[in-house]
Amino acid sequence: MKEILNKLFFGKPEYNTKLRYTAYQTNLIYLKRIWNNAKHHDVGFEKILRLFLVLIQFVFPGLHIRNYFGKMGAMKRNASTEFYVFFKTFLPLFFLLSGLYQHKIVVFVSAYFMTETIFYVTSVIFVSDMFVKPRSYRRNILMLFLNYIEICLNFAVIYAGLHLLGDKPETAVDYIYFSIVTATTIGYGDLHPISHLGKMIVCVQALLVLAFIVLFLNFFGSKVETLHREDE
């Protein structure tokens, strides 16, 4: 069974190459390169944004997980990242189905993990010149889809935990339904926010998802198309 799992998640042993730098060292290298305009001549707000996107990763668990498992090799680091993404995707679903969303600390936790996802995916685009070529752009699109689901579920936790839709929703499914309908910009209108805070959060979700689809999916989609042409 152990051999089967190793083959499934890590492939051939030679794929698990030793990394030259830890995740901490790599991020510090990125900061230095951006500051010195080593690969891209950016100034002003663009440079501030790129520095911020790299620096903010130290605040979230993802970087620390990559740093720890990166000591075991490239494939184990990648596998740990995938498990972390799956964990973050299903955590808000657990909060909703278990009723834990009623606690304000759970709303904070959901917002915290969602913020990490938004900043990380944004850095993949705006700091892409610093990143090495990924093992598979198709894998990145799969992770991106999970990030999309995670964001929808985390917004559902926020709507439920802050009671932003009034008394009309009867179950956690109603909050998930409202969040996905908002994310897809369908907006049936059967559920709606009852406060100014709720309306503002709906606007934030709509704008985030629009940027997510237009910028992020288009970015990775073009990479996969280029890779397909190279294969041909």
Side-chain angles (χ1 to χ4, degrees):
M1 178 59 72
K2 184 178 180 180
E3 292 182 2
I4 294 175
L5 292 176
N6 281 331
K7 184 70 173 179
L8 177 63
F9 290 105
F10 306 126
K12 298 179 180 180
E14 56 266 28
Y15 290 168
N16 192 39
T17 57
K18 186 177 180 180
L19 297 170
R20 183 177 180 183
Y21 301 109
T22 66
Y24 295 157
Q25 292 172 331
T26 300
N27 257 37
L28 292 175
I29 291 172
Y30 290 163
L31 283 170
K32 185 176 180 180
R33 287 177 178 175
I34 294 172
W35 180 256
N36 293 324
N37 298 104
K39 289 193 173 183
H40 182 68
H41 186 64
D42 53 342
V43 295
F45 181 73
E46 181 186 2
K47 188 170 186 175
I48 294 173
L49 175 63
R50 281 157 55 84
L51 289 170
F52 171 78
L53 289 173
V54 175
L55 190 60
I56 196 65
Q57 291 185 38
F58 286 98
V59 178
F60 299 107
L63 176 65
H64 307 296
I65 290 174
R66 294 197 302 275
N67 186 76
Y68 177 80
F69 286 96
K71 299 173 184 178
M72 305 176 189
M75 296 304 296
K76 292 189 176 181
R77 181 200 60 184
N78 292 339
S80 68
T81 302
E82 291 175 2
F83 278 112
Y84 181 57
V85 171
F86 273 98
F87 167 77
K88 290 204 303 174
T89 301
F90 289 102
L91 183 63
L93 184 61
F94 170 74
F95 288 157
L96 289 163
L97 298 180
S98 65
L100 289 174
Y101 63 82
Q102 300 176 39
H103 302 283
K104 294 297 186 289
I105 185 65
V106 170
V107 176
F108 172 80
V109 169
S110 290
Y112 172 75
F113 280 124
M114 181 174 64
T115 303
E116 177 188 23
T117 299
I118 292 170
F119 282 145
Y120 177 75
V121 177
T122 305
S123 71
V124 171
I125 292 179
F126 287 96
V127 199
S128 60
D129 57 304
M130 295 294 170
F131 294 158
V132 297
K133 185 177 180 180
R135 175 167 50 89
S136 169
Y137 283 113
R138 297 177 181 87
R139 169 183 176 271
N140 280 14
I141 287 183
L142 174 60
M143 293 297 102
L144 194 65
F145 176 73
L146 291 175
N147 293 150
Y148 178 83
I149 298 299
E150 177 205 339
I151 290 173
C152 291
L153 293 175
N154 278 319
F155 268 109
V157 172
I158 293 172
Y159 294 133
L162 299 182
H163 203 60
L164 297 177
L165 305 183
D167 297 324
K168 200 169 183 180
E170 298 179 356
T171 66
V173 175
D174 291 325
Y175 291 105
I176 298 174
Y177 158 79
F178 175 78
S179 181
I180 292 177
V181 167
T182 301
T184 54
T185 68
I186 296 176
Y188 288 118
D190 50 344
L191 296 174
H192 55 83
I194 60 172
S195 65
H196 291 304
L197 176 61
K199 293 175 182 178
M200 291 300 298
I201 293 178
V202 167
C203 290
V204 169
Q205 181 182 8
L207 291 173
L208 277 176
V209 171
L210 183 62
F212 195 100
I213 294 174
V214 173
L215 295 177
F216 304 153
L217 292 182
N218 180 65
F219 175 81
F220 284 108
S222 64
K223 294 293 185 182
V224 172
E225 183 179 355
T226 301
L227 184 64
H228 178 69
R229 290 174 180 174
E230 291 177 354
D231 292 340
E232 291 180 340

